[in-house]
Structures are given as structure tokens and as C-alpha cells.
Amino acid sequence: MNAIISASELADALRSERPPVLLDVRWQLSTAAASGQPFDGRAAYASGHIPGAVFVDLDRELASTPGPRGRHPLPDLDVFGAAMRRAGVSAGTPVVAYDGGIGWAAARAWWLLRWTGHPDVRVLDGGLPAWDGPLEAEAEASAPAEGDFVPKPAGGAVLDADGAAALARSGVLLDARAGERYRGEVEPIDPVGGHIPGALSAPTSDNVDADGRFRPAAELRARFGELGATRDVPVGVYCGSGVSAAHEVLALEVAGIPAALYVGSWSEWTSDPARPVAVGPDPQ
């Protein structure tokens, strides 16, 4: 099954006898929008969303409290499961997640559902800007029937700090952040710039076109293949806090390459000053 779905395919699916559950996961990394006010995904959802979608709060339902394990640690499974059931997610129901277009937040929801055992979840390619159908306001929305999904994590898809360090030596560890953060030239969020020794720079932004849609699978395979990431080697991804890296895991999935996610990512790595940091373009 393809991990992404186009807007036209979604429109057809919503008219089918087995329509998907829709998750609206609008979120922004920056703490403030252009207006100077913090971005409010809930308010954006309330003003207009794809009919039938339910808002999911990334910071509260797809992550737990920030701390030594990073800015977006894995969520408490009871909290995550309750959020998914509230949204109408059941084990046998297809799910489509979307966000405001960048794809990171929707990919985080996709990854969590896949990791916890849901067999049929996709991301709307291009997010809400790709949707040209009707929208509904929150006042027009009705709550979906409660779902029955119970998250059951699978092994092998998650890396901790030690696992990420080991993979950088024995396989391929991709750093999904912007190149200047990888090189340590700037670091707007975390206390130290640079990268995990041995990791390769692979900015998430290079996985999509100007419209925010994923590049064709063949192009993605070629891109990752140049970095040594293929189906024949173990691959892992990290970013700042495990959100944009989920988008890179999704891109790898589109390319047919399985990959693990270092959820704690750079925000966890740099919380321990004893962990080594590499700077510059050289992986080491």
C-alpha cells in the first residue's frame, strides 16, 4: 500500500463505502506565526477543515512532556490511544492524516499509528493546500463514533541514543535537519550545533517539490541511494525532535526503504554533554 494519498484519491475514498478517518494535525515548529502570535492549530482547524476530520494535538497527544528524552518524546500510549479512539480510529478502518502542507506533523501521526500496529494509514500528499474540495467549520462538525484502536508498539522501528550512535557506524544514519544545523553553523533551538558523529546530512526539504508534494519514488530512491540508504542496509533517521524525521521515514517508505526513527533526536542527544558532537560537512 502506498503511504501517501493524493487529494483526488482522498476525495474518491471519502465517497466510498469505506471512507477513511481523517486526522487534522496542523502544527508549526516555530512558536510564533508571522503575526507574532503563537500558531494555534486548534483555531486553524475550527475555522475550516476537511469535512469529517478530527483535530489531533501533536504536542499533547502525539508526544509527551519535553525533557531529557527530547522536545517531543514518545507519547504515553494511553493518551495516544484515547486520542485515536476519540477521532474514530479503529483497527479495521483506513486513516488519512493531513496538516497545513509541510507534512511533518501528519507524518508524525502516520509513523505513530504504523509503529503501534495500525495496518492502513496514509498521509495526504501536499496537505490541506492540495485539497480543493469543501471545508467545514468546527460549528458544523459532528463527533465521530468512538473507535476501538489499541496501540501495540512493534519492535525495531525505534532508536534510542545508543542505537543511533551504533547505526551511524554500522549502517546509515540520516540527519533530516537543514544542512546549516547539521554543520553546526547555526542552532536556533538546541544548546549545541552539529550532528551525531557518522550521520549523513539529508534535509527533509529535499524530499518534496515546490508544492510540498513528495518527489516520485524513483527520484527518492536515487536520492537516498546516493547516501548509501537502500533496502540492503539498516537505515535510521533523526532530526531536532523526531517530527521532521518522521517525514523522512515516510519519504523512505515511499522509496521502498524501511527505516527506524530516533525519536529523541538532536534535542535528546545534546541533553547529555558527554555525548560527542561533530561539526562541519564531514560526517565524522
Side-chain angles (χ1 to χ4, degrees):
M1 178 187 299
N2 200 338
I4 57 176
I5 184 172
S6 70
S8 61
E9 290 171 333
L10 175 59
D12 290 341
L14 291 172
R15 292 190 292 265
S16 71
E17 295 181 357
R18 190 168 171 258
V21 170
L22 290 176
L23 306 180
D24 184 310
V25 203
R26 274 177 276 182
W27 171 87
Q28 283 186 7
L29 174 62
S30 60
T31 57
S35 64
Q37 298 298 317
F39 177 77
D40 187 341
R42 190 75 173 77
Y45 166 84
S47 66
H49 55 268
I50 299 176
V54 175
F55 179 70
V56 176
D57 190 316
L58 185 147
D59 290 314
R60 294 177 175 82
E61 296 172 321
L62 305 183
S64 55
T65 305
R69 293 186 300 127
R71 281 191 306 281
H72 291 103
L74 287 172
D76 179 281
L77 289 181
D78 289 339
V79 172
F80 173 64
M84 294 299 100
R85 291 189 292 275
R86 172 184 60 81
V89 176
S90 292
T93 305
V95 178
V96 173
Y98 71 87
D99 56 26
I102 195 168
W104 295 0
R108 173 76 174 213
W110 167 84
W111 181 85
L112 279 167
L113 281 165
R114 289 285 301 272
W115 174 61
T116 54
H118 199 287
D120 188 353
V121 54
R122 288 179 283 179
V123 167
L124 175 58
D125 196 16
L128 190 60
W131 176 257
D132 59 2
L135 300 177
E136 71 176 1
E138 185 171 26
E140 305 168 299
S142 57
E146 183 88 0
D148 64 14
F149 179 70
V150 177
K152 297 177 181 178
V158 179
L159 296 171
D160 60 12
D162 290 341
L167 187 59
R169 297 187 299 267
S170 64
V172 175
L173 181 65
L174 302 178
D175 185 318
R177 298 171 301 157
E180 57 268 26
R181 292 183 69 190
Y182 169 89
R183 296 187 296 271
E185 297 166 358
V186 298
E187 182 43 64
I189 305 172
D190 294 307
V192 178
H195 57 271
I196 297 173
L200 302 171
S201 181
T204 296
S205 57
D206 291 345
N207 296 325
V208 297
D209 62 21
D211 293 327
R213 293 178 174 86
F214 281 100
R215 292 161 57 183
E219 289 186 16
L220 290 171
R221 274 193 298 275
R223 184 213 176 189
F224 293 124
E226 290 176 357
L227 294 166
T230 68
R231 293 187 60 86
D232 300 324
V233 298
V235 178
V237 187
Y238 75 95
C239 58
S241 67
V243 177
S244 66
H247 189 270
E248 187 125 300
V249 172
L250 176 57
L252 285 155
E253 178 80 7
V254 172
I257 304 167
L261 176 66
Y262 175 23
V263 179
S265 285
W266 191 244
S267 56
E268 179 190 41
W269 185 267
T270 56
S271 70
D272 182 350
R275 294 190 182 111
V277 170
V279 295
D282 191 311
Q284 301 300 331

mmCIF file of all heavy atoms in Angstrom, residues 61-92:
data_model
loop_
_atom_site.group_PDB
_atom_site.id
_atom_site.type_symbol
_atom_site.label_atom_id
_atom_site.label_comp_id
_atom_site.label_asym_id
_atom_site.label_seq_id
_atom_site.Cartn_x
_atom_site.Cartn_y
_atom_site.Cartn_z
ATOM 1 N N GLU A 61 -0.890 15.024 22.269
ATOM 2 C CA GLU A 61 -1.409 13.685 22.007
ATOM 3 C C GLU A 61 -0.472 12.807 21.195
ATOM 4 O O GLU A 61 -0.605 11.583 21.207
ATOM 5 C CB GLU A 61 -2.771 13.792 21.309
ATOM 6 C CG GLU A 61 -3.813 14.463 22.199
ATOM 7 C CD GLU A 61 -5.107 14.771 21.481
ATOM 8 O OE1 GLU A 61 -5.060 15.190 20.294
ATOM 9 O OE2 GLU A 61 -6.182 14.622 22.099
ATOM 10 N N LEU A 62 0.469 13.430 20.489
ATOM 11 C CA LEU A 62 1.442 12.664 19.711
ATOM 12 C C LEU A 62 2.839 12.759 20.313
ATOM 13 O O LEU A 62 3.815 12.319 19.696
ATOM 14 C CB LEU A 62 1.478 13.160 18.258
ATOM 15 C CG LEU A 62 0.139 13.165 17.514
ATOM 16 C CD1 LEU A 62 0.340 13.600 16.065
ATOM 17 C CD2 LEU A 62 -0.541 11.808 17.578
ATOM 18 N N ALA A 63 2.944 13.327 21.498
ATOM 19 C CA ALA A 63 4.216 13.447 22.207
ATOM 20 C C ALA A 63 3.909 13.600 23.694
ATOM 21 O O ALA A 63 2.788 13.943 24.078
ATOM 22 C CB ALA A 63 5.009 14.647 21.710
ATOM 23 N N SER A 64 4.909 13.332 24.519
ATOM 24 C CA SER A 64 4.760 13.566 25.951
ATOM 25 C C SER A 64 5.552 14.806 26.338
ATOM 26 O O SER A 64 6.092 15.517 25.488
ATOM 27 C CB SER A 64 5.203 12.332 26.746
ATOM 28 O OG SER A 64 6.528 11.949 26.410
ATOM 29 N N THR A 65 5.641 15.068 27.625
ATOM 30 C CA THR A 65 6.246 16.302 28.126
ATOM 31 C C THR A 65 7.723 16.407 27.747
ATOM 32 O O THR A 65 8.481 15.451 27.925
ATOM 33 C CB THR A 65 6.114 16.358 29.658
ATOM 34 O OG1 THR A 65 4.734 16.212 30.008
ATOM 35 C CG2 THR A 65 6.632 17.674 30.195
ATOM 36 N N PRO A 66 8.151 17.553 27.232
ATOM 37 C CA PRO A 66 9.571 17.728 26.900
ATOM 38 C C PRO A 66 10.457 17.546 28.125
ATOM 39 O O PRO A 66 10.051 17.826 29.259
ATOM 40 C CB PRO A 66 9.635 19.178 26.388
ATOM 41 C CG PRO A 66 8.249 19.504 25.965
ATOM 42 C CD PRO A 66 7.356 18.741 26.890
ATOM 43 N N GLY A 67 11.669 17.065 27.889
ATOM 44 C CA GLY A 67 12.598 16.833 28.984
ATOM 45 C C GLY A 67 13.875 16.213 28.466
ATOM 46 O O GLY A 67 14.236 16.398 27.285
ATOM 47 N N PRO A 68 14.582 15.455 29.299
ATOM 48 C CA PRO A 68 15.847 14.850 28.865
ATOM 49 C C PRO A 68 15.708 13.915 27.664
ATOM 50 O O PRO A 68 16.691 13.670 26.966
ATOM 51 C CB PRO A 68 16.304 14.088 30.115
ATOM 52 C CG PRO A 68 15.618 14.755 31.251
ATOM 53 C CD PRO A 68 14.299 15.207 30.718
ATOM 54 N N ARG A 69 14.492 13.391 27.424
ATOM 55 C CA ARG A 69 14.289 12.492 26.278
ATOM 56 C C ARG A 69 13.968 13.257 25.000
ATOM 57 O O ARG A 69 13.687 12.641 23.967
ATOM 58 C CB ARG A 69 13.178 11.494 26.589
ATOM 59 C CG ARG A 69 13.515 10.507 27.693
ATOM 60 C CD ARG A 69 12.431 9.460 27.861
ATOM 61 N NE ARG A 69 11.156 10.062 28.198
ATOM 62 C CZ ARG A 69 10.014 9.844 27.550
ATOM 63 N NH1 ARG A 69 9.999 9.035 26.504
ATOM 64 N NH2 ARG A 69 8.889 10.434 27.926
ATOM 65 N N GLY A 70 14.037 14.600 25.057
ATOM 66 C CA GLY A 70 13.814 15.395 23.868
ATOM 67 C C GLY A 70 12.596 16.292 23.963
ATOM 68 O O GLY A 70 11.849 16.252 24.942
ATOM 69 N N ARG A 71 12.410 17.118 22.922
ATOM 70 C CA ARG A 71 11.273 18.041 22.914
ATOM 71 C C ARG A 71 9.957 17.365 22.592
ATOM 72 O O ARG A 71 8.893 17.857 22.976
ATOM 73 C CB ARG A 71 11.525 19.171 21.894
ATOM 74 C CG ARG A 71 12.440 20.246 22.375
ATOM 75 C CD ARG A 71 12.422 21.453 21.438
ATOM 76 N NE ARG A 71 12.714 21.105 20.056
ATOM 77 C CZ ARG A 71 13.933 20.885 19.587
ATOM 78 N NH1 ARG A 71 14.968 20.988 20.395
ATOM 79 N NH2 ARG A 71 14.129 20.567 18.317
ATOM 80 N N HIS A 72 10.005 16.264 21.866
ATOM 81 C CA HIS A 72 8.782 15.534 21.528
ATOM 82 C C HIS A 72 8.992 14.035 21.769
ATOM 83 O O HIS A 72 9.030 13.245 20.818
ATOM 84 C CB HIS A 72 8.378 15.786 20.071
ATOM 85 C CG HIS A 72 7.908 17.179 19.807
ATOM 86 N ND1 HIS A 72 8.683 18.136 19.184
ATOM 87 C CD2 HIS A 72 6.738 17.796 20.115
ATOM 88 C CE1 HIS A 72 8.016 19.262 19.106
ATOM 89 N NE2 HIS A 72 6.827 19.092 19.662
ATOM 90 N N PRO A 73 9.115 13.644 23.043
ATOM 91 C CA PRO A 73 9.284 12.213 23.324
ATOM 92 C C PRO A 73 8.045 11.431 22.897
ATOM 93 O O PRO A 73 6.988 12.007 22.611
ATOM 94 C CB PRO A 73 9.454 12.169 24.847
ATOM 95 C CG PRO A 73 9.699 13.576 25.279
ATOM 96 C CD PRO A 73 9.044 14.453 24.260
ATOM 97 N N LEU A 74 8.187 10.125 22.877
ATOM 98 C CA LEU A 74 7.031 9.289 22.567
ATOM 99 C C LEU A 74 5.875 9.605 23.510
ATOM 100 O O LEU A 74 6.082 9.830 24.707
ATOM 101 C CB LEU A 74 7.393 7.807 22.704
ATOM 102 C CG LEU A 74 8.282 7.221 21.610
ATOM 103 C CD1 LEU A 74 8.717 5.813 21.990
ATOM 104 C CD2 LEU A 74 7.571 7.217 20.264
ATOM 105 N N PRO A 75 4.655 9.615 23.007
ATOM 106 C CA PRO A 75 3.515 9.892 23.884
ATOM 107 C C PRO A 75 3.234 8.723 24.821
ATOM 108 O O PRO A 75 3.612 7.582 24.538
ATOM 109 C CB PRO A 75 2.361 10.074 22.898
ATOM 110 C CG PRO A 75 2.735 9.203 21.737
ATOM 111 C CD PRO A 75 4.233 9.326 21.623
ATOM 112 N N ASP A 76 2.594 9.028 25.914
ATOM 113 C CA ASP A 76 2.026 7.976 26.748
ATOM 114 C C ASP A 76 1.028 7.208 25.878
ATOM 115 O O ASP A 76 0.147 7.808 25.245
ATOM 116 C CB ASP A 76 1.329 8.593 27.964
ATOM 117 C CG ASP A 76 0.701 7.552 28.861
ATOM 118 O OD1 ASP A 76 -0.394 7.074 28.507
ATOM 119 O OD2 ASP A 76 1.286 7.216 29.897
ATOM 120 N N LEU A 77 1.149 5.895 25.831
ATOM 121 C CA LEU A 77 0.307 5.118 24.920
ATOM 122 C C LEU A 77 -1.171 5.189 25.281
ATOM 123 O O LEU A 77 -2.038 5.110 24.398
ATOM 124 C CB LEU A 77 0.778 3.670 24.874
ATOM 125 C CG LEU A 77 2.113 3.447 24.164
ATOM 126 C CD1 LEU A 77 2.463 1.968 24.154
ATOM 127 C CD2 LEU A 77 2.084 3.982 22.732
ATOM 128 N N ASP A 78 -1.486 5.356 26.565
ATOM 129 C CA ASP A 78 -2.890 5.510 26.946
ATOM 130 C C ASP A 78 -3.457 6.820 26.395
ATOM 131 O O ASP A 78 -4.595 6.866 25.915
ATOM 132 C CB ASP A 78 -3.033 5.471 28.467
ATOM 133 C CG ASP A 78 -2.799 4.083 29.037
ATOM 134 O OD1 ASP A 78 -2.923 3.095 28.282
ATOM 135 O OD2 ASP A 78 -2.475 3.986 30.240
ATOM 136 N N VAL A 79 -2.655 7.882 26.467
ATOM 137 C CA VAL A 79 -3.093 9.178 25.946
ATOM 138 C C VAL A 79 -3.244 9.110 24.419
ATOM 139 O O VAL A 79 -4.244 9.566 23.853
ATOM 140 C CB VAL A 79 -2.098 10.280 26.336
ATOM 141 C CG1 VAL A 79 -2.431 11.597 25.639
ATOM 142 C CG2 VAL A 79 -2.089 10.470 27.849
ATOM 143 N N PHE A 80 -2.247 8.536 23.758
ATOM 144 C CA PHE A 80 -2.304 8.409 22.307
ATOM 145 C C PHE A 80 -3.484 7.556 21.872
ATOM 146 O O PHE A 80 -4.233 7.921 20.953
ATOM 147 C CB PHE A 80 -0.994 7.815 21.802
ATOM 148 C CG PHE A 80 -0.986 7.488 20.331
ATOM 149 C CD1 PHE A 80 -1.107 8.490 19.388
ATOM 150 C CD2 PHE A 80 -0.860 6.177 19.899
ATOM 151 C CE1 PHE A 80 -1.092 8.197 18.031
ATOM 152 C CE2 PHE A 80 -0.851 5.874 18.546
ATOM 153 C CZ PHE A 80 -0.977 6.880 17.610
ATOM 154 N N GLY A 81 -3.657 6.400 22.525
ATOM 155 C CA GLY A 81 -4.762 5.522 22.163
ATOM 156 C C GLY A 81 -6.112 6.189 22.351
ATOM 157 O O GLY A 81 -7.006 6.067 21.495
ATOM 158 N N ALA A 82 -6.277 6.921 23.460
ATOM 159 C CA ALA A 82 -7.541 7.613 23.707
ATOM 160 C C ALA A 82 -7.802 8.673 22.641
ATOM 161 O O ALA A 82 -8.937 8.847 22.179
ATOM 162 C CB ALA A 82 -7.519 8.247 25.095
ATOM 163 N N ALA A 83 -6.745 9.381 22.221
ATOM 164 C CA ALA A 83 -6.900 10.401 21.186
ATOM 165 C C ALA A 83 -7.329 9.773 19.864
ATOM 166 O O ALA A 83 -8.189 10.311 19.148
ATOM 167 C CB ALA A 83 -5.597 11.170 21.010
ATOM 168 N N MET A 84 -6.726 8.643 19.524
ATOM 169 C CA MET A 84 -7.085 7.979 18.276
ATOM 170 C C MET A 84 -8.520 7.440 18.321
ATOM 171 O O MET A 84 -9.270 7.574 17.345
ATOM 172 C CB MET A 84 -6.100 6.850 17.978
ATOM 173 C CG MET A 84 -4.678 7.322 17.694
ATOM 174 S SD MET A 84 -4.535 8.421 16.242
ATOM 175 C CE MET A 84 -4.467 10.039 17.059
ATOM 176 N N ARG A 85 -8.909 6.869 19.435
ATOM 177 C CA ARG A 85 -10.284 6.354 19.539
ATOM 178 C C ARG A 85 -11.287 7.500 19.498
ATOM 179 O O ARG A 85 -12.348 7.388 18.871
ATOM 180 C CB ARG A 85 -10.441 5.524 20.805
ATOM 181 C CG ARG A 85 -9.663 4.206 20.768
ATOM 182 C CD ARG A 85 -10.009 3.313 21.929
ATOM 183 N NE ARG A 85 -9.548 3.848 23.210
ATOM 184 C CZ ARG A 85 -8.323 3.676 23.714
ATOM 185 N NH1 ARG A 85 -7.419 2.986 23.040
ATOM 186 N NH2 ARG A 85 -8.003 4.173 24.892
ATOM 187 N N ARG A 86 -10.958 8.625 20.145
ATOM 188 C CA ARG A 86 -11.830 9.803 20.095
ATOM 189 C C ARG A 86 -12.012 10.275 18.661
ATOM 190 O O ARG A 86 -13.091 10.744 18.275
ATOM 191 C CB ARG A 86 -11.222 10.923 20.945
ATOM 192 C CG ARG A 86 -11.932 12.267 20.818
ATOM 193 C CD ARG A 86 -11.220 13.359 21.611
ATOM 194 N NE ARG A 86 -9.841 13.573 21.174
ATOM 195 C CZ ARG A 86 -9.485 14.292 20.119
ATOM 196 N NH1 ARG A 86 -10.418 14.874 19.352
ATOM 197 N NH2 ARG A 86 -8.203 14.451 19.797
ATOM 198 N N ALA A 87 -10.955 10.143 17.860
ATOM 199 C CA ALA A 87 -11.026 10.566 16.461
ATOM 200 C C ALA A 87 -11.760 9.562 15.580
ATOM 201 O O ALA A 87 -11.975 9.825 14.398
ATOM 202 C CB ALA A 87 -9.622 10.792 15.920
ATOM 203 N N GLY A 88 -12.133 8.407 16.155
ATOM 204 C CA GLY A 88 -12.851 7.394 15.390
ATOM 205 C C GLY A 88 -11.988 6.312 14.794
ATOM 206 O O GLY A 88 -12.451 5.524 13.964
ATOM 207 N N VAL A 89 -10.715 6.248 15.207
ATOM 208 C CA VAL A 89 -9.800 5.262 14.635
ATOM 209 C C VAL A 89 -10.088 3.878 15.200
ATOM 210 O O VAL A 89 -10.113 3.688 16.421
ATOM 211 C CB VAL A 89 -8.332 5.637 14.901
ATOM 212 C CG1 VAL A 89 -7.395 4.549 14.386
ATOM 213 C CG2 VAL A 89 -8.001 6.977 14.254
ATOM 214 N N SER A 90 -10.290 2.934 14.310
ATOM 215 C CA SER A 90 -10.441 1.524 14.672
ATOM 216 C C SER A 90 -9.398 0.720 13.914
ATOM 217 O O SER A 90 -8.851 1.186 12.895
ATOM 218 C CB SER A 90 -11.838 1.009 14.329
ATOM 219 O OG SER A 90 -12.824 1.604 15.156
ATOM 220 N N ALA A 91 -9.141 -0.478 14.393
ATOM 221 C CA ALA A 91 -8.093 -1.302 13.781
ATOM 222 C C ALA A 91 -8.398 -1.612 12.318
ATOM 223 O O ALA A 91 -7.493 -1.723 11.496
ATOM 224 C CB ALA A 91 -7.915 -2.588 14.574
ATOM 225 N N GLY A 92 -9.673 -1.733 11.972
ATOM 226 C CA GLY A 92 -10.034 -2.097 10.610
ATOM 227 C C GLY A 92 -10.475 -0.939 9.741
ATOM 228 O O GLY A 92 -11.031 -1.156 8.664
#
